[in-house]
């Protein structure tokens, strides 16, 4: 009987300590951070992007304008480099046609890793056709080809918000 009692005591001690081990391993699982898809990433253009100087397919640089945190830890630091691309380009044209730019965000670079971003933005220059029409059809026909619209321009410092493309599991901080 004494042996049975000792066995039951040992079994109950093991049962009591088992949850403690599970609880100790639990925080390790929770310390893995996940950067969720759709997390907004505020960006700013580093230089001017214009339909005058950029063409479709050209890439340009942006910078993250504020730290992105997960569980209180910075996972994308302020000033991290990001890349965008001109998705659509139309130069200004005759008869007051405005230039057009549409950009798409590609990725942000953090510690040698690229984090894909979603997001687009467009800009149209200003049309200048209204003065040509106001002066009459004959004048517009003769001089209209010399009236030009404005280039589409995103000045340096233009704010654009990108969004994390998909969930990313990040290594826990050491």
């Amino acid at each position: 009987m004494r042996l049975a009692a000792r066995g039951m005591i040992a079994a109950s001690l093991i049962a009591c300590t088992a949850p403690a081990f599970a609880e100790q391993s639990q925080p390790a699982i929770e310390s893995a951070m996940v950067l969720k898809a759709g997390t907004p990433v505020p960006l700013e253009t580093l230089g001017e992007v214009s339909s005058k100087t950029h063409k479709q397919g050209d890439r340009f640089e942006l910078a993250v304008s504020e730290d992105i945190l997960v569980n209180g830890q910075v996972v994308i630091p302020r000033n991290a480099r990001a890349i965008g691309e001109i998705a659509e380009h139309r130069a200004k044209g005759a008869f007051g046609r405005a230039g057009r730019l549409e950009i798409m965000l590609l990725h942000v670079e953090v510690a040698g890793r690229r984090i894909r971003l979603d997001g687009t933005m467009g800009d149209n220059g200003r049309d200048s056709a209204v003065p040509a029409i106001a002066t009459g059809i004959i004048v517009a026909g003769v001089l209209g080809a010399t009236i030009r619209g404005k280039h589409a321009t995103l000045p340096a410092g233009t704010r654009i918000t990108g969004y994390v493309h998909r969930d990313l599991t990040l290594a826990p901080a050491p």
Side-chain angles (χ1 to χ4, degrees):
M1 191 60 86
R2 288 184 146 197
L3 271 170
R6 284 186 189 166
M8 291 176 76
I9 292 171
S12 65
L13 284 174
I14 291 171
C16 289
T17 58
F21 289 121
E23 289 175 28
Q24 287 175 353
S25 63
Q26 190 79 357
I29 293 169
E30 289 177 8
S31 66
M33 297 180 290
V34 177
L35 180 60
K36 296 285 190 184
T39 299
V41 180
L43 304 162
E44 290 183 5
T45 56
L46 292 179
E48 181 180 86
V49 180
S50 169
S51 61
K52 180 178 182 178
T53 57
H54 291 80
K55 303 292 182 231
Q56 187 170 342
D58 286 352
R59 293 189 172 183
F60 58 94
E61 291 187 344
L62 304 104
V64 176
S65 60
E66 55 188 74
D67 291 337
I68 305 302
L69 307 173
V70 172
N71 298 338
Q73 294 186 13
V74 175
V75 295
I76 301 176
R78 183 175 186 264
N79 293 324
R81 181 176 177 249
I83 301 295
E85 184 176 292
I86 307 298
E88 183 183 327
H89 168 272
R90 182 180 75 204
K92 71 177 186 170
F95 299 100
R97 188 183 76 176
R100 173 154 175 72
L101 277 180
E102 185 166 325
I103 64 164
M104 65 181 177
L105 301 173
L106 298 179
H107 62 266
V108 61
E109 297 174 0
V110 179
R113 182 177 186 181
R114 290 182 174 178
I115 299 172
R116 187 171 164 195
L117 297 175
D118 291 327
T120 60
M121 180 179 192
D123 183 55
N124 289 321
R126 202 172 66 233
D127 286 328
S128 297
V130 174
I133 293 169
T135 57
I137 294 173
I138 295 173
V139 173
V142 175
L143 300 176
T146 63
I147 298 172
R148 300 274 186 199
K150 303 292 182 191
H151 289 288
T153 302
L154 301 175
T158 298
R159 292 182 172 267
I160 303 169
T161 301
Y163 300 91
V164 174
H165 177 70
R166 63 183 172 95
D167 286 357
L168 291 175
T169 301
L170 307 170

